[in-house]
C-alpha cells in the first residue's frame, strides 16, 4: 500500500508491504504519478517488508525519472529488507546509496 501527501511542491510517500514483481506495476504508477505533480519527493521505506530485484529496479527508475525532470527524490528510513537487497546485489555504496539514501551514513 502506498499513501501520498502532497503539499507545497513536496510529495511524501510511504510504502507499506512488499515491493516485488507481484506489486511493481501497480506501485510504478502510484509513485510516478505524484512525482510528475511535484518538485521534490520523499519516499519512506521503513515499512517495506520484502523487496526483490523488481522493487530495486522500481526505486532506480524513480531516481532516473527524477533526474531527467530535474526533481529531487529522497528515500528515507530504509527497512532491513531494502538494505539487505542493496547488500545482496552489491549496489555500489559510493555511487548509488549516497544518491538514493542521503540520510544514511555510508561506511
Amino acid at each position: 500500500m502506498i499513501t501520498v501527501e502532497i503539499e507545497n511542491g513536496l510529495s511524501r510517500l510511504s510504502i507499506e508491504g512488499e515491493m516485488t514483481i507481484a506489486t511493481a506495476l501497480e506501485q510504478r504508477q502510484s509513485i510516478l504519478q505524484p512525482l510528475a505533480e511535484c518538485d521534490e519527493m520523499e519516499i519512506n521505506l521503513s515499512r517495506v517488508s520484502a523487496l526483490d530485484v523488481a522493487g530495486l529496479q522500481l526505486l532506480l527508475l524513480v531516481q532516473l525519472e527524477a533526474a531527467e525532470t530535474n526533481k529531487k527524490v529522497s528515500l528515507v528510513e530504509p527497512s532491513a529488507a531494502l538494505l539487505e537487497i542493496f547488500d545482496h546485489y552489491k549496489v555500489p555504496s559510493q555511487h548509488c546509496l549516497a544518491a538514493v539514501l542521503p540520510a544514511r551514513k555510508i561506511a
Side-chain angles (χ1 to χ4, degrees):
M1 178 173 76
I2 297 179
T3 57
V4 181
E5 295 177 18
I6 300 175
E7 185 178 326
N8 297 325
L10 171 65
S11 287
R12 286 194 173 97
L13 278 71
S14 180
I15 302 175
E16 183 176 346
E18 296 182 357
M19 291 187 74
T20 62
I21 189 72
T23 61
L25 184 60
E26 179 182 327
Q27 290 173 336
R28 181 180 186 269
Q29 280 305 108
S30 297
I31 296 170
L32 292 181
Q33 182 64 37
L35 180 62
E37 299 171 5
C38 71
D39 299 317
E40 185 175 350
M41 178 178 278
E42 179 181 284
I43 304 175
N44 184 312
L45 299 164
S46 64
R47 301 183 83 182
V48 172
S49 59
L51 187 86
D52 66 9
V53 73
L56 176 60
Q57 289 175 328
L58 178 57
L59 293 175
L60 295 174
L61 171 68
V62 171
Q63 285 294 121
L64 289 172
E65 185 70 25
E68 288 179 3
T69 57
N70 294 319
K71 298 180 180 192
K72 180 182 176 188
V73 173
S74 299
L75 305 183
V76 298
E77 298 185 43
S79 69
L82 177 73
L83 296 176
E84 182 179 319
I85 202 81
F86 269 84
D87 184 55
H88 178 76
Y89 287 103
K90 301 188 183 348
V91 176
S93 61
Q94 288 81 2
H95 302 290
C96 295
L97 287 178
V100 295
L101 299 174
R104 178 175 177 245
K105 183 178 167 132
I106 307 303

